[in-house]
């Protein structure tokens, strides 16, 4: 398929989380998904082993089952904790705790956008699940943890970039693995394979996405060591 956006800098700076602007009525061709994943396979991988596994779901019945899981995750991890004032969730997600009005409004839009997807997930043309066949690390930091996540997330992001260049919108929806056990059953994953993220895919409505506002590089970068800022 001919790329619609060939400039790599534009692809890197304008690949946004697409929810509102995902075309839920236009089918996505199987060969486009395969082409994007084939390109993404060139990404880095831990231990030089292709322990990544992907499941692309288009079946209506299966998508309904997945949507029910996603709705339950939203309820248990976002809606109910925010309504109950659960401290950790409020600090992480509540718009009102953000520092300035612009940040508050941006967080409100993000929550509305996520809820929009939650309510319509079964309508998304393709749900792609990025999974890992590596043994699950014992700790979240150090030891084998970096290699575990350092394989699946690079290929997932490369896949999203390839999709963007071809006019497709995506979003990395990691929250759904809150119910990983249910996903394993629905996707019929082999023993030892675990879902890490869901990537809904559909053609984007328009291509005119812009770079998002981010912190100045000076705020996130130090040379030589963090204590030095010269």
């Amino acid at each position: 398929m001919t790329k619609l956006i060939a400039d790599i800098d534009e692809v890197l700076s304008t690949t946004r989380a697409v929810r509102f602007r995902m075309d839920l009525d236009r089918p996505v061709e199987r060969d486009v998904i395969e082409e994007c994943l084939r390109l993404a396979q060139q990404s880095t991988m831990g231990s030089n082993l292709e322990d990544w596994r992907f499941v692309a779901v288009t079946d209506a019945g299966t998508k309904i089952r997945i949507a029910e899981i996603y709705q339950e995750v939203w309820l248990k991890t976002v809606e109910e904790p925010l309504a109950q004032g659960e401290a950790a969730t409020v600090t992480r997600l509540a718009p009102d705790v953000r520092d300035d009005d612009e940040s508050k409004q941006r967080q409100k839009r993000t929550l509305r956008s996520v809820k929009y997807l939650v309510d319509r997930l079964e309508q998304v043309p393709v749900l792609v699940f990025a999974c890992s066949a590596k043994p699950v690390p014992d700790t979240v930091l150090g030891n084998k943890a970096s290699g575990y996540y350092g394989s699946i997330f690079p290929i997932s992001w490369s896949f999203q970039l390839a999709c963007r260049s071809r006019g497709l919108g995506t979003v990395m929806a990691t929250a759904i693995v809150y119910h990983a056990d249910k996903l394993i059953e629905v996707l019929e994953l082999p023993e030892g394979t675990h879902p890490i993220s869901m990537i809904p895919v559909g053609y984007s409505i328009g291509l005119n996405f812009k770079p998002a506002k981010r912190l100045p590089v000076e705020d996130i970068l130090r040379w030589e060591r963090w204590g030095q800022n010269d």
Side-chain angles (χ1 to χ4, degrees):
M1 180 180 178
T2 302
K3 286 195 284 186
L4 299 176
I5 306 174
D7 187 299
I8 185 62
D9 285 1
E10 181 180 355
V11 171
L12 287 169
S13 62
T14 63
T15 300
R16 305 264 66 86
V18 177
R19 301 182 186 94
F20 283 132
R21 291 179 57 181
M22 184 175 291
D23 191 333
L24 302 178
D25 298 317
R26 180 180 175 184
V28 175
E29 303 84 352
R30 177 176 292 195
D31 62 330
V32 177
I33 297 293
E34 293 176 349
E35 183 179 57
C36 290
L37 189 56
R38 194 172 294 113
L39 285 167
Q41 282 181 278
Q42 299 303 313
S43 63
T44 184
M45 51 185 162
S47 303
N48 199 34
L49 292 171
E50 291 193 71
D51 287 318
W52 44 51
R53 301 290 184 269
F54 286 80
V55 180
V57 178
T58 60
D59 176 73
T62 305
K63 286 194 292 183
I64 288 173
R65 294 177 66 190
I66 293 168
E68 290 171 349
I69 295 172
Y70 201 36
Q71 289 161 3
E72 183 178 352
V73 169
W74 166 268
L75 184 66
K76 297 298 184 184
T77 67
V78 180
E79 190 171 310
E80 288 183 352
L82 285 179
Q84 296 165 3
E86 196 274 320
T89 304
V90 169
T91 300
R92 182 170 57 93
L93 296 177
D96 291 343
V97 303
R98 300 299 164 107
D99 293 334
D100 54 78
D101 188 62
E102 183 180 354
S103 297
K104 291 176 182 178
Q105 294 305 316
R106 186 165 62 245
Q107 182 61 13
K108 286 181 180 179
R109 289 194 299 271
T110 297
L111 288 177
R112 287 199 302 268
S113 176
V114 175
K115 185 61 165 62
Y116 176 88
L117 182 65
V118 169
D119 291 340
R120 295 163 178 80
L121 190 68
E122 71 276 8
Q123 300 175 42
V124 173
V126 187
L127 301 178
V128 176
F129 287 86
C131 310
S132 176
K134 287 179 179 291
V136 177
D138 297 327
T139 60
V140 295
L141 291 175
N143 199 7
K144 298 177 181 179
S146 295
Y148 183 79
Y149 297 106
S151 289
I152 196 62
F153 283 120
I155 190 174
S156 298
W157 182 235
S158 291
F159 172 74
Q160 290 183 260
L161 294 173
C163 285
R164 163 65 174 154
S165 74
R166 286 155 175 77
L168 295 163
T170 65
V171 58
M172 187 174 289
T174 56
I176 196 167
V177 298
Y178 180 84
H179 281 319
D181 54 340
K182 294 183 179 180
L183 284 177
I184 289 171
E185 179 181 350
V186 171
L187 301 176
E188 298 184 7
L189 297 178
E191 184 176 356
T193 299
H194 302 275
I196 305 299
S197 181
M198 175 179 68
I199 307 173
V201 183
Y203 280 99
S204 62
I205 300 172
L207 298 174
N208 57 329
F209 293 91
K210 300 178 180 178
K213 184 176 181 180
R214 295 290 187 259
L215 291 171
V217 169
E218 294 77 12
D219 287 4
I220 65 170
L221 172 67
R222 297 291 184 271
W223 288 92
E224 316 310 341
R225 58 189 178 275
W226 187 255
Q228 180 170 316
N229 189 24
D230 298 328

